[in-house]
Amino acid sequence: MTAQREREFDVIVIGAGAVGENVAERVVRGGLTAVLIEAELVGGECSYWACMPSKALLRPGTALHAAQTVPGATEAVTRTLDAAAVLKRRDYFTSNWQDDSQVKWAEDAGIELIRGHGRITAPRNVEVAGRDGNRYLLSARHAVVVATGSRPNVPPIDGLADLKFWTTREATSAREVPGRLAVLGGGVAGTELAQAYARLGAAVTVVARHGLLGMFPAEAADLVAAGLRADGVELCLHTGTQSVRGDADGAFTLTLDGGSTVTADKLLVAAGRHPALEGIGLESVGLAAEDGKPLRLRTDSTGLVAGAAGNAAAATGGGGPWLYAAGDAAGKVMLTHQGKYEARATGDAIAARAKGGLAGEPAPWSRYAQTADEHAIPNVVFTDPELANVGRTVEQAEKDGFKVSSVELPIQVAGSSLHAEHYEGWAQLVIDEDRKVLLGATFAGPDVAELLHAATIAVVGEVPLDRLWHAVPSYPTISEVWLRLLEDYGL
């Protein structure tokens, strides 16, 4: 028999992925009560179908290739990857798609969990269709937070919607390696998974309407493209897909611009993602899509959602701001680490407002403000070679009105030559000429991800270049490229 249960909490968080978990933890740490609502696995996309499994699929191939590039180790490498062992290790990092440990974490943190689908019905009110068959009517004293993540885009290609293709979920949880894999999309997810499966033995073709990793500097993206080609990946770039058809055996045939075709056993559609805002009742508080476009939320630096019923009235005695969004659902930056950063700021802001310790917009770079979203977003593409960047590119900086210069160099230092035979890398610093500080940095090459946090600190801290010159890189490390870049700039 279905029961109706009414409950009240200080904060209701819809979505128990990494972002929702961090919001709930911060508000509980701030002395409030919190409940997480989750229809699937606690831990969310990153833990089970994105960050962790994809990197577990990539790392063995990168480790093998690294050994093959160092004389002495090269001669000892006599085998290719064991696909079954790689998939088994992937299963370990997803906890075999069981969320027991995440549920225990929530319990130990003092966070309540309701499994089911949450829907906002009015300001501060959420109804949950529980997986236990019960109906929960929840009310929030202080805040409701939307942390529902994102869903994959499906491009309007003739025939595609009628077929059972892979998204990143199926690709990261597959039980076997297909003989032939076609990848639609040249972004981060498509590029990473293309290389992972190529190194596991699949014949991989990437079809991208634009270039590969087009949001990064071309010199960096070209190194990644060369790495993919070296692994046997066929790249069909600046090429549209006219139609997709499936045959009786389950194979796919893609017809491309110009009439050429690609045939594959599996098709991965990696065409980006959009905030997962459908079906959670936002229309009940005045938030709805316009002109047939998907709904996008507007949030301030604390994650407070603009335009929601009751939020504006709150300032004049309506009980305080109540609706927030963080992570992919907020639509600012679709990266797990940045979503968790937003969640920490949002949770702290909610707790502070509940106690009267925060009024209006917080100061930039305070613990309540998501300032890094505007200035210093770090991002790593875990291909081989890696691609890592933070902050603005030259084009972005110029668009934002900065007087910009840049310095670029191949990574050719003692540390890189020791790291691997024929090491190929590239580095760039983007400089604000008025203040003489870094606006951004990009590195491409084997293992350059470990260079990125130094760049992130320099951008966030707005470290003057003449002071940054005194940060002496250890010898012989790849970080010596920092010195070479600053010297090339003229310091």
Side-chain angles (χ1 to χ4, degrees), residues 112-129:
E112 192 157 338
L113 169 68
I114 298 176
R115 292 186 183 271
H117 179 77
R119 181 182 180 86
I120 297 168
T121 56
R124 303 174 186 273
N125 291 302
V126 176
E127 180 179 318
V128 183

Side-chain angles (χ1 to χ4, degrees), residues 277-300:
L277 302 175
E278 305 91 345
I280 61 170
L282 290 171
E283 66 281 357
S284 70
V285 292
L287 299 170
E290 299 178 359
D291 301 324
K293 297 179 181 179
L295 175 62
R296 304 284 294 200
L297 299 178
R298 292 181 295 112
T299 59
D300 70 5

Side-chain angles (χ1 to χ4, degrees), residues 427-475:
Q428 178 191 55
L429 300 181
V430 179
I431 298 161
D432 178 350
E433 282 296 330
D434 289 329
R435 295 180 298 154
K436 298 296 184 181
V437 298
L438 291 187
L439 293 172
T442 299
F443 305 96
D447 294 319
V448 295
E450 298 306 327
L451 300 178
L452 186 61
H453 196 55
T456 304
I457 293 169
V459 173
V460 169
E462 298 181 333
V463 181
L465 294 183
D466 57 0
R467 176 62 63 87
L468 190 60
W469 183 83
H470 290 279
V472 182
S474 297
Y475 183 88

Side-chain angles (χ1 to χ4, degrees), residues 50-182:
C51 316
M52 295 306 291
S54 65
K55 305 317 172 271
L57 291 173
L58 282 160
R59 179 58 190 162
T62 301
L64 178 63
H65 185 241
Q68 292 169 335
T69 61
V70 180
T74 302
E75 291 76 11
V77 178
T78 59
R79 296 176 59 189
T80 57
L81 288 178
D82 183 325
V86 173
L87 295 179
K88 182 178 180 180
R89 184 171 185 265
R90 181 272 321 269
D91 293 350
Y92 167 79
F93 278 102
T94 62
S95 301
N96 290 293
W97 291 275
Q98 300 293 318
D99 63 1
D100 300 28
S101 62
Q102 300 278 55
V103 172
K104 186 177 187 306
W105 169 86
E107 292 173 350
D108 292 345
I111 302 165
E112 192 157 338
L113 169 68
I114 298 176
R115 292 186 183 271
H117 179 77
R119 181 182 180 86
I120 297 168
T121 56
R124 303 174 186 273
N125 291 302
V126 176
E127 180 179 318
V128 183
R131 281 168 47 179
D132 59 4
N134 294 319
R135 179 169 170 256
Y136 296 85
L137 302 179
L138 309 181
S139 60
R141 298 182 190 92
H142 296 292
V144 174
V145 184
V146 176
T148 46
S150 60
R151 295 194 177 99
N153 296 332
V154 179
I157 296 172
D158 180 38
L160 182 60
D162 300 325
L163 301 174
K164 191 174 182 180
F165 51 83
W166 277 2
T167 66
T168 51
R169 278 199 171 196
E170 290 76 24
T172 56
S173 61
R175 309 310 308 176
E176 60 184 21
V177 178
R180 301 168 298 174
L181 174 66

Side-chain angles (χ1 to χ4, degrees), residues 156-159 209 240-244 255-259:
I157 296 172
D158 180 38
R209 182 173 293 278
T241 302
Q242 298 300 315
S243 66
V244 183
T255 301
L256 310 183
D257 290 347

Side-chain angles (χ1 to χ4, degrees), residues 97-438:
W97 291 275
Q98 300 293 318
D99 63 1
D100 300 28
S101 62
Q102 300 278 55
V103 172
K104 186 177 187 306
W105 169 86
E107 292 173 350
D108 292 345
I111 302 165
E112 192 157 338
L113 169 68
I114 298 176
R115 292 186 183 271
H117 179 77
R119 181 182 180 86
I120 297 168
T121 56
R124 303 174 186 273
N125 291 302
V126 176
E127 180 179 318
V128 183
R131 281 168 47 179
D132 59 4
N134 294 319
R135 179 169 170 256
Y136 296 85
L137 302 179
L138 309 181
S139 60
R141 298 182 190 92
H142 296 292
V144 174
V145 184
V146 176
T148 46
S150 60
R151 295 194 177 99
N153 296 332
V154 179
I157 296 172
D158 180 38
L160 182 60
D162 300 325
L163 301 174
K164 191 174 182 180
F165 51 83
W166 277 2
T167 66
T168 51
R169 278 199 171 196
E170 290 76 24
T172 56
S173 61
R175 309 310 308 176
E176 60 184 21
V177 178
R180 301 168 298 174
L181 174 66
V183 180
L184 275 181
V188 175
T191 303
E192 288 183 346
L193 289 168
Q195 187 169 54
Y197 273 98
R199 289 181 163 181
L200 286 169
V204 180
T205 302
V206 174
V207 181
R209 182 173 293 278
H210 304 293
L212 195 76
L213 300 171
M215 69 290 292
F216 299 98
E219 294 88 343
D222 286 347
L223 285 177
V224 176
L228 292 179
R229 291 190 178 101
D231 287 324
V233 177
E234 182 179 355
L235 300 179
C236 301
L237 306 180
H238 305 286
T239 302
T241 302
Q242 298 300 315
S243 66
V244 183
R245 298 288 182 264
D247 63 22
D249 297 325
F252 299 83
T253 299
L254 288 67
T255 301
L256 310 183
D257 290 347
S260 62
T261 60
V262 173
T263 304
D265 302 301
K266 295 292 182 181
L267 170 62
L268 166 60
V269 176
R273 301 179 70 86
H274 64 274
L277 302 175
E278 305 91 345
I280 61 170
L282 290 171
E283 66 281 357
S284 70
V285 292
L287 299 170
E290 299 178 359
D291 301 324
K293 297 179 181 179
L295 175 62
R296 304 284 294 200
L297 299 178
R298 292 181 295 112
T299 59
D300 70 5
S301 66
T302 67
L304 188 66
V305 177
N311 267 15
T316 58
W322 70 274
L323 183 63
Y324 295 78
D328 285 9
K332 291 179 180 177
V333 186
M334 292 191 180
L335 295 167
T336 297
H337 51 270
Q338 211 69 16
K340 291 164 71 173
Y341 159 76
E342 293 173 9
R344 293 189 292 270
T346 293
D348 285 349
I350 291 169
R353 283 175 174 149
K355 297 177 180 180
L358 175 64
E361 280 269 356
W365 300 115
S366 72
R367 63 181 297 176
Y368 310 122
Q370 303 164 7
T371 314
D373 279 355
E374 302 170 21
H375 300 284
I377 299 167
N379 189 18
V380 177
V381 184
F382 288 90
T383 47
D384 182 15
E386 291 176 336
L387 197 164
N389 81 328
V390 63
R392 295 172 171 90
T393 63
V394 171
E395 293 76 16
Q396 290 166 342
E398 289 176 341
K399 182 179 178 181
D400 290 341
F402 290 94
K403 182 182 177 183
V404 179
S405 68
S406 69
V407 56
E408 303 96 18
L409 288 173
I411 299 177
Q412 294 176 348
V413 293
S416 62
S417 62
L418 285 167
H419 192 85
E421 289 285 283
H422 311 298
Y423 187 104
E424 288 192 61
W426 182 82
Q428 178 191 55
L429 300 181
V430 179
I431 298 161
D432 178 350
E433 282 296 330
D434 289 329
R435 295 180 298 154
K436 298 296 184 181
V437 298
L438 291 187

